[in-house]
């Protein structure tokens, strides 16, 4: 049986134009975006970022955890089998990658070492540049 030496194809999530429009609306808060789009990992990642910046580490962890699970759901619907590239270059993937990053950051802040290692590997396996780009504010 032939094997794909290049590994699995990249997973490309569908666009979320309604979510992006609400994120761009300066009158809407991150909580408003989550309420309007509770399945969006991007919305949850933004809420996690907001909480982390306000010093609310546990809340950030909880929001990021929801975003992570919403992202896993979206990835599976898109054909992801639990491994393989999730490229940052495909903008709709950025929500799940940001949720992963936010969960990694919050897990590190509360000292959950096993999860920190697992999430760092997941992020790196998804896209080796994603964490650097998120940390740089892209």
């Amino acid at each position: 049986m032939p094997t794909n030496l290049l590994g699995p194809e990249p997973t490309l999530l569908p666009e979320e134009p309604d979510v992006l429009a609400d994120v761009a609306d300066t009158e809407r808060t991150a909580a408003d975006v989550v309420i309007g789009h509770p399945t969006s990992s991007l919305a949850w990642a933004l809420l996690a970022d907001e909480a982390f910046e306000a010093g609310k580490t546990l809340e950030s962890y909880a929001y990021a955890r929801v975003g992570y699970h919403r992202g896993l759901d979206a990835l599976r619907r898109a054909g992801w089998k639990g491994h393989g590239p999730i490229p940052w270059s495909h903008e709709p993937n950025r929500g799940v990658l940001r949720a992963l990053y936010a969960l990694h950051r919050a897990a590190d802040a509360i000292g959950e070492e096993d999860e920190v290692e697992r999430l760092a590997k997941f992020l790196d396996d998804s896209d080796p540049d994603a964490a650097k780009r998120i940390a740089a504010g892209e």
Side-chain angles (χ1 to χ4, degrees):
M1 181 160 141
T3 13
N4 180 355
L5 298 176
L6 301 176
E9 291 293 318
T11 300
L12 305 177
L13 294 174
E15 293 185 15
E16 296 181 310
D18 295 342
V19 175
L20 294 177
D22 283 353
V23 168
D25 183 346
T26 57
E27 293 184 19
R28 296 186 61 103
T29 66
D32 292 334
V33 178
V34 166
I35 290 167
H37 309 281
T39 62
S40 171
S41 57
L42 174 60
W44 286 101
L46 294 173
L47 194 57
D49 288 347
E50 187 178 272
F52 195 83
E53 290 167 12
K56 298 177 180 179
T57 306
L58 293 178
E59 290 89 339
S60 178
Y61 181 90
Y63 297 144
R65 169 73 58 199
V66 175
Y68 165 79
H69 284 288
R70 296 300 186 155
L72 291 177
D73 293 343
L75 289 167
R76 288 182 187 116
R77 279 192 307 274
W80 184 72
K81 304 292 185 209
H83 64 283
I86 306 165
W88 172 265
S89 61
H90 182 67
E91 191 169 344
N93 289 350
R94 293 181 184 179
V96 70
L97 294 169
R98 288 180 61 153
L100 278 169
Y101 180 87
L103 184 57
H104 174 268
R105 178 186 59 206
D108 187 45
I110 64 171
E112 195 171 346
E113 294 174 20
D114 290 343
E115 185 163 39
V116 170
E117 290 176 28
R118 183 180 60 78
L119 291 167
K121 181 171 177 11
F122 190 175
L123 268 168
D124 189 55
D125 289 349
S126 298
D127 186 322
D129 293 329
K132 289 181 276 190
R133 296 186 79 171
I134 296 166
E138 291 185 37

